[in-house]
Amino acid sequence: MIDDFEAKGKRKKLVEELRQKGITDEEVLRAINIVPRHIFMDPAFLIHAYVDKAFPISSGQTISQPYTVAVQTSLLQVKMRDKILEIGTGSGYQAAILAEMGARVFTIERFRELYLRAQQTLSSLGYSADFFYGDGHAGQPKYGPFDGIIITAAIKEVPDALLKQLKIGGRLVVPLGDNSTQVMTLVLREGEENFKYSSHGYFVFVPMLKGTVNDN
Ligand code: SAH
């Protein structure tokens, strides 16, 4: 599946739609305009690749809605060479957006099938990232601390291990709540023990679960 004129046109329209929905970060919009979302989609949903909705991928998971990716990425305020940890690789689309913005991406997935597939997808597009098959609750202490941490699955509260891996001055973005709905939350680490929380709207994610699944 290659990128073509039609897909490019659809992405441009998607970017306009995201602007209308309130996304203003030009770097985020630029990345969404460049990364070919259709390459990350299940073939059954290809024609919907540039519809602003979440869609099923393998292992019963979803590729996030572009608006959701845009909100989370905007809240992270990614700068060139920032070290960003993502929990929930899924399709790899969010990781590719971060890589396109110049971040050094570390991403963890608990389904082996998705972990393998996302690596292939990103490398076929020429993006590099460090992929890990594991349970994201523990983070990746060996590679931290991180400038930013993005959790792309729903959880009730942020695991201490992840808060500890955030640099002072760093930003963590997470949908906090139960399985039905979550509040997008930005956590700023202002000091060793000082974390400031703010809320940024309601979203629905698949849950963050314990352990790994070797489905490949
Ligand atoms: N960022 C993804 C969206 C993925 S949906 C994308 O751009 O496509 C959430 C993902 O989080 C799922 O793939 C799910 O398997 C994964 N996940 C859930 N709990 C996890 C955990 N404890 N550790 C790592 N990944 C987890």
Side-chain angles (χ1 to χ4, degrees), residues 76-79 81-87 94 98-99 102-107 130 145-150 171:
L76 267 184
Q77 293 188 359
V78 181
K79 294 181 300 297
R81 305 293 300 150
D82 270 0
K83 262 164 73 173
I84 306 287
L85 175 67
E86 179 191 31
I87 313 298
Q94 171 73 69
L98 294 167
R104 287 175 288 167
V105 182
F106 302 82
T107 182
D130 281 5
F146 299 96
D147 299 285
I149 299 178
I150 175 171
R171 303 165 80 85

Side-chain angles (χ1 to χ4, degrees), residues 40 57-59 61-64 69 72 86-95 107-111 114 132 134-137 152-154 205-211:
F40 297 81
I57 52 176
S58 54
S59 306
Q61 303 304 307
T62 52
I63 177 171
S64 299
V69 171
Q72 287 202 283
E86 179 191 31
I87 313 298
T89 312
S91 67
Y93 177 69
Q94 171 73 69
T107 182
I108 311 175
E109 173 56 55
R110 66 186 287 275
F111 280 101
L114 293 173
F132 302 91
D135 181 343
H137 284 87
T152 67
F205 283 75
V206 296
M208 182 158 163
L209 300 172
K210 295 251 158 95

Side-chain angles (χ1 to χ4, degrees), residues 18-142:
L18 295 176
R19 273 187 209 283
Q20 276 160 24
K21 291 180 177 173
I23 304 299
T24 54
D25 187 318
E26 288 301 327
E27 261 304 288
V28 172
L29 292 168
R30 185 191 65 77
I32 290 175
N33 194 39
I34 288 178
V35 178
R37 188 173 186 247
H38 62 280
I39 307 282
F40 297 81
M41 302 272 295
D42 185 295
F45 297 99
L46 261 190
I47 56 162
H48 304 303
Y50 298 104
V51 176
D52 189 22
K53 283 190 181 152
F55 288 101
I57 52 176
S58 54
S59 306
Q61 303 304 307
T62 52
I63 177 171
S64 299
Q65 180 181 347
Y67 176 73
T68 305
V69 171
V71 168
Q72 287 202 283
T73 314
S74 300
L75 287 169
L76 267 184
Q77 293 188 359
V78 181
K79 294 181 300 297
M80 270 296 203
R81 305 293 300 150
D82 270 0
K83 262 164 73 173
I84 306 287
L85 175 67
E86 179 191 31
I87 313 298
T89 312
S91 67
Y93 177 69
Q94 171 73 69
I97 293 287
L98 294 167
E100 175 59 41
M101 292 174 75
R104 287 175 288 167
V105 182
F106 302 82
T107 182
I108 311 175
E109 173 56 55
R110 66 186 287 275
F111 280 101
R112 192 169 154 80
E113 163 78 17
L114 293 173
Y115 152 80
L116 293 170
R117 200 181 277 208
Q119 284 182 75
Q120 276 178 5
T121 310
L122 265 84
S123 73
S124 76
L125 292 170
Y127 291 119
S128 66
D130 281 5
F131 293 86
F132 302 91
Y133 167 53
D135 181 343
H137 284 87
Q140 272 300 333
K142 250 176 60 188

